[in-house]
Amino acid sequence: MHSTGTLRIQDLTAEERAVYATLKPERLPEHVAIIMDGNGRWAGQRSLKRFLGHQQGAKTVQQVTETAARIGLPWLTLYAFSLENNLRRPKSEVSFLMRLLKSYLENNVQRMLDNNVRLKYIGRTHELPDEVQEKMRWAEQATARNTGTTLTLALNYGGRSELVDAFRGLAVEMKQKHINPDHITEEDIHRHLYTAHMPDPDLLIRTSGEMRLSNYLLWQVAYTEIFVTERLWPDFRGLHLLEAIADFQLRERRYGGLGEGSGAVDEEAERAKIAAV
Ligand code: FPP
């Protein structure tokens, strides 16, 4: 299923429209996930405090989301705050990120409504400060009826802890329904993930050059195409999202099969001919 939102190509910038014109509309990804990295380095390069990099990063979140909404991307999932960020960053930085998230939601819900964007979250969000959770619920409810892009913020998220939570949920279900472990399927695990309601990402973008998954959507990225750019997150724009999609469209996705142009079909025909002799 592709987006139920309306395309607003006319609202793209001229540069974005030029890249969009090169895309094959029938091969747009359904789900793009992004590891937003490099806020600290962006600030460091300008001799600014790290928090100014995060502040600029929050502006980028909104700009990229609006481009995604204009091209009718159904799902955009951003790694905004990891479990590891929560545990390993100085308390002052964590509390700044929490305040930034609150003010981001306060200041951008109207723009989400204007762009038909629905907000959702994944992660152990119940461990976040109460006032942050309240603001999150408010923003989610305010945008719940939007039908365009679903922007999912991964907050206090870790891929392994998501799997732990999924297995816990599945274990409870198995006990209640007396399910034999031999009957567990991949679909059963999928049903218990935070992302049960969405397709797996087609494209994962990571900014600032690091070649790591950093515990992001570990189950879901099994067949995802990965695009790494040196660009730091605060410098990333909708234009770069479109460029990443253009690159994605050049890839051949094989899902463990042989794919087109492998000669597999010709070989099959050859074998049939030999067998017929
Ligand atoms: C990495 O930069 C980014 C994060 C810690 C999380 C992303 C946060 C934002 C984009 C801002 C807030 C988001 C919202 C939704 C309000 P880094 O500090 O790891 O950069 P570095 O590796 O250069 O130090």
Side-chain angles (χ1 to χ4, degrees):
M1 188 204 74
H2 268 243
S3 173
T4 47
T6 26
L7 288 181
R8 287 184 298 117
I9 304 307
Q10 71 281 4
D11 293 343
L12 295 175
T13 64
E15 275 180 311
E16 287 175 337
R17 268 203 302 277
V19 179
Y20 183 81
T22 69
L23 299 180
K24 299 180 199 76
E26 73 285 0
R27 288 203 52 209
L28 284 176
E30 258 199 284
H31 183 177
V32 176
I34 307 184
I35 300 175
M36 309 183 285
D37 196 12
N39 295 346
R41 271 162 283 177
W42 183 92
Q45 285 171 1
R46 290 161 179 75
S47 311
L48 300 170
K49 293 263 187 324
R50 288 178 61 79
F51 74 87
L52 285 169
H54 293 315
Q55 214 162 42
Q56 198 56 40
K59 288 187 185 151
T60 300
V61 167
Q62 193 53 29
Q63 285 167 347
V64 170
T65 301
E66 291 182 14
T67 299
R70 289 175 184 134
I71 64 163
L73 179 73
W75 304 92
L76 177 67
T77 304
L78 305 181
Y79 206 0
F81 186 61
S82 69
L83 265 176
E84 290 72 22
N85 292 155
N86 200 4
L87 297 172
R88 300 199 186 128
R89 299 233 170 168
K91 287 262 171 303
S92 57
E93 184 164 340
V94 170
S95 72
F96 177 80
L97 283 167
M98 291 297 105
R99 270 182 281 135
L100 182 61
L101 173 62
K102 260 177 63 184
S103 68
Y104 170 78
L105 295 173
E106 271 162 20
N107 297 330
N108 288 286
V109 158
Q110 188 54 51
R111 285 176 68 164
M112 302 287 179
L113 294 172
D114 295 342
N115 285 279
N116 198 15
V117 171
R118 180 172 72 138
L119 250 177
K120 282 195 164 289
Y121 315 99
I122 53 172
R124 290 186 176 166
T125 53
H126 58 277
E127 292 173 356
L128 297 175
D130 286 344
E131 70 278 9
V132 175
Q133 288 186 55
E134 263 168 48
K135 198 53 78 185
M136 286 166 58
R137 271 193 294 276
W138 165 78
E140 186 172 18
Q141 282 162 10
T143 61
R145 277 188 288 279
N146 289 342
T147 57
T149 300
T150 299
L151 168 64
T152 304
L153 299 179
L155 291 164
N156 203 28
Y157 174 88
R160 288 185 174 179
S161 62
E162 176 180 26
L163 288 171
V164 169
D165 290 348
F167 295 156
R168 285 179 181 160
L170 183 56
V172 170
E173 186 191 336
M174 286 173 64
K175 207 166 158 193
Q176 281 167 352
K177 298 187 183 166
H178 307 290
I179 298 171
N180 176 340
D182 288 343
H183 294 154
I184 296 173
T185 62
E186 289 187 9
E187 178 51 31
D188 290 320
I189 293 171
H190 170 84
R191 278 190 300 108
H192 287 277
L193 295 173
Y194 306 146
T195 55
H197 58 287
M198 54 172 112
D200 289 341
D202 303 292
L203 171 62
L204 171 68
I205 299 172
R206 180 166 188 146
T207 57
S208 86
E210 239 77 66
M211 300 284 187
R212 285 193 288 276
L213 287 175
S214 297
N215 203 15
Y216 193 41
L217 301 173
L218 294 181
W219 174 278
Q220 297 87 338
V221 297
Y223 291 105
T224 300
E225 297 294 330
I226 301 178
F227 180 90
V228 177
T229 169
E230 291 293 328
R231 198 175 294 279
L232 306 177
W233 177 250
D235 289 330
F236 197 84
R237 293 289 173 271
L239 174 68
H240 307 119
L241 170 67
L242 295 172
E243 286 173 353
I245 293 175
D247 187 88
F248 162 82
Q249 291 195 334
L250 299 174
R251 316 268 184 101
E252 187 193 1
R253 300 184 77 190
R254 294 207 293 264
Y255 301 95
L258 292 175
E260 292 162 21
S262 65
V265 177
D266 301 351
E267 272 177 40
E268 199 56 51
E270 248 350 271
R271 267 200 295 277
K273 264 195 248 161
I274 294 165
V277 172

